[in-house]
């Protein structure tokens, strides 16, 4: 992996040199871009959170498959191995598996063609997934912006912004679209321990956009939700089960319960590729357990005694009863989610 510094900020791009990503582990201190030159480096970048956020890791995986195919002289033998390696990086965000499956299907449909043509089709598909993601997020923004109360504060958790997607963002896309339609809103960003996606990434990208943002620690959310100042909560999602249960960054569940307790609407903004209709409920969603060091250390500095036992689930599941609406590119789903999500997914609504 090669690092460079640049002024433009794109989450992920396909270039002639390889797959270029902004290194999200180094923000906001440094704006550094890394170039992944083979699919193994893309897999490492996903596993190590150089790129993170459900839609963004889907795009990265698709580009990883394309990159692997470009460098393979035995496509039939190598493509399944490449897909398997990328699929083993992170278990919770279903967009990763959705994107790999889409690449597998393209491969199956062009297998009979000349290797050069197969590689070209896979590269084109990966680029298309990236472009589509930006358009999808803009549609989510358009659909969600009317739900955001004017003159109030929006609370968000983790980073569901441009950095977590190919661009614009899901939850932050709704906020951007609301600001774009002239609403007078400001944002409270939970810092999102232990990985600090809120402090490091959401605060950084909203500040760059000139959207008024206040950073709070996670344990302050209840205080502000009770104060009457928060008009709604908007978060992203990593996987949504058929019944509308939502897996998202650890801490989301607590925010959702506190929102309901204080009659504040709790919205989830996500593309339909985040839906997993094969899972009846959120109890079936695999939850990633990450390294203890993310909890015992803050930016490399120890904050706990050596040898202490640590739990570090990266996600939690918010039961559907706490979710006021799920905002997708095709429209808004409300309870009962079993019905409304299926209708949106099959394009009925
Ligand atoms: O562990 P991360 O940083 O990949 O977790 C990201 C989240 O939980 C986001 O809220 C989610 O992926 C939605 S991103 C549009």
């Amino acid at each position: 992996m090669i690092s460079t510094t640049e002024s433009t900020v794109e989450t992920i791009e396909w270039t002639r040199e390889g797959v270029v990503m902004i290194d999200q582990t180094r923000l906001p201190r440094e704006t550094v871009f890394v170039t992944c030159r083979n699919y193994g480096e893309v897999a490492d970048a996903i596993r190590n959170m150089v790129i993170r956020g459900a839609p963004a890791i889907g795009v990265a995986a698709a580009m990883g498959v394309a990159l692997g195919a470009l460098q393979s002289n035995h496509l039939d033998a190598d493509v399944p191995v490449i897909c398997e390696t990328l699929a083993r990086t992170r278990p919770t965000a279903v967009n990763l598996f959705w994107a790999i499956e889409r690449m597998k299907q393209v491969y199956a449909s062009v297998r009979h063609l000349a290797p050069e043509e197969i590689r070209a089709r896979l590269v084109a598909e990966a680029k298309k997934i990236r472009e589509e993601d930006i358009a999808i997020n803009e549609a989510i923004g358009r659909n969600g912006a009317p739900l955001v109360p004017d003159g109030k504060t929006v609370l968000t958790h983790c980073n569901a912004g441009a950095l977590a997607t190919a661009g614009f963002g899901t939850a932050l896309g709704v906020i951007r679209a609301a600001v774009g339609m002239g609403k007078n809103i400001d944002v409270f960003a939970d810092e999102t321990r232990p990985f600090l996606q809120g402090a490091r990434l959401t605060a950084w990208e909203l500040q760059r956009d000139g959207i008024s943002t206040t950073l709070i620690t996670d344990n302050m959310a209840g205080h502000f939700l009770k104060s009457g100042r928060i008009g709604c909560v908007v978060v992203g999602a990593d996987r949504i089960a058929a019944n509308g249960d939502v897996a998202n960054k650890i801490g989301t569940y607590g925010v959702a319960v506190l929102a309901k307790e204080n009659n504040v609407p709790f919205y989830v903004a996500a593309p339909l590729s985040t839906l997993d209709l094969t899972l009846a409920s959120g109890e079936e969603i695999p939850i990633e357990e990450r390294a203890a060091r993310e909890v015992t250390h803050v930016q490399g500095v120890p904050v706990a005694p050596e040898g202490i036992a640590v739990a570090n689930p990266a996600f939690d599941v918010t039961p559907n009863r706490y979710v006021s609406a799920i905002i997708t590119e095709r429209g808004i789903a409300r309870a009962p989610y079993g019905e409304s999500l299926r209708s949106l997914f099959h394009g009925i609504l």
Side-chain angles (χ1 to χ4, degrees):
M1 226 181 273
I2 294 184
S3 301
T4 51
T5 46
E6 283 173 35
S7 54
T8 50
V9 174
E10 294 281 353
T11 308
I12 179 162
E13 273 184 298
W14 178 271
T15 73
R16 276 158 45 150
E17 285 72 42
V19 180
V20 176
M21 319 169 176
I22 187 166
D23 185 344
Q24 300 194 30
T25 64
R26 289 156 85 163
L27 286 172
R29 280 174 291 114
E30 296 171 293
T31 308
V32 173
F33 291 81
V34 298
T35 304
C36 299
R37 290 173 187 269
N38 54 58
Y39 80 89
E41 289 187 353
V42 175
D44 287 343
I46 296 171
R47 192 178 297 109
N48 300 330
M49 312 272 276
V50 167
I51 187 157
R52 33 64 53 200
I57 64 176
V59 175
M63 290 188 174
V65 174
L67 195 53
L70 265 191
Q71 295 168 348
S72 163
N73 290 319
H74 307 280
L75 287 166
D76 272 346
D78 291 345
V79 168
V81 176
I82 295 164
C83 291
E84 185 56 24
T85 304
L86 288 158
R88 281 175 190 269
T89 51
R90 296 192 72 193
T92 303
V94 76
N95 310 61
L96 179 84
F97 309 103
W98 168 87
I100 292 171
E101 192 49 43
R102 190 162 146 176
M103 295 299 282
K104 276 186 185 168
Q105 277 176 20
V106 168
Y107 180 66
S109 71
V110 297
R111 255 189 78 202
H112 60 284
L113 300 176
E116 270 325 296
E117 183 59 23
I118 297 175
R119 294 185 191 104
R121 297 282 186 99
L122 289 172
V123 171
E125 189 69 12
K127 288 182 177 171
K128 191 165 163 226
I129 289 174
R130 177 184 179 276
E131 295 315 310
E132 282 176 7
D133 186 58
I134 299 171
I136 285 168
N137 294 331
E138 287 168 353
I140 290 172
R142 277 194 300 279
N143 291 337
L147 297 178
V148 176
D150 202 0
K152 292 282 223 177
T153 299
V154 181
L155 176 70
T156 191
H157 189 75
C158 192
N159 172 265
L163 290 166
T165 61
F168 201 64
T170 56
L172 298 195
V174 170
I175 290 167
R176 288 192 166 100
V179 170
M181 67 191 272
K183 287 194 174 175
N184 176 26
I185 55 168
D186 70 318
V187 177
F188 269 32
D190 285 348
E191 68 170 347
T192 319
R193 273 281 285 154
F195 212 73
L196 300 174
Q197 288 93 333
R200 296 189 303 103
L201 309 176
T202 296
W204 181 80
E205 71 166 88
L206 291 180
Q207 190 180 56
R208 280 173 60 99
D209 264 15
I211 296 175
S212 169
T213 302
T214 302
L215 177 63
I216 61 172
T217 62
D218 299 326
N219 50 359
M220 297 173 189
H223 170 78
F224 286 111
L225 281 162
K226 196 158 118 227
S227 73
R229 170 176 185 158
I230 311 286
C232 69
V233 178
V234 189
V235 298
D238 288 86
R239 198 185 291 223
I240 301 173
N243 70 345
D245 290 351
V246 174
N248 191 48
K249 180 53 53 196
I250 192 75
T252 302
Y253 171 42
V255 176
V257 174
L258 286 162
K260 191 170 175 108
E261 163 73 11
N262 291 287
N263 294 314
V264 176
F266 179 87
Y267 299 124
V268 174
L272 289 167
S273 54
T274 303
L275 268 190
D276 186 350
L277 296 181
T278 68
L279 304 186
S281 84
E283 279 175 32
E284 297 170 51
I285 298 175
I287 300 294
E288 178 182 11
E289 182 75 24
R290 291 192 61 88
R293 193 179 163 86
E294 290 179 1
V295 175
T296 56
H297 290 63
V298 175
Q299 300 282 282
V301 178
V303 292
E306 233 182 282
I308 192 74
V310 168
N312 188 13
F315 302 95
D316 59 25
V317 175
T318 299
N320 58 20
R321 64 182 177 279
Y322 295 106
V323 180
S324 311
I326 298 175
I327 305 159
T328 78
E329 67 272 32
R330 283 206 202 138
I332 294 170
R334 291 187 188 268
Y337 288 105
E339 244 166 72
S340 58
L341 288 175
R342 240 193 337 269
S343 303
L344 282 180
F345 192 75
H346 296 300
I348 296 164
L349 280 187

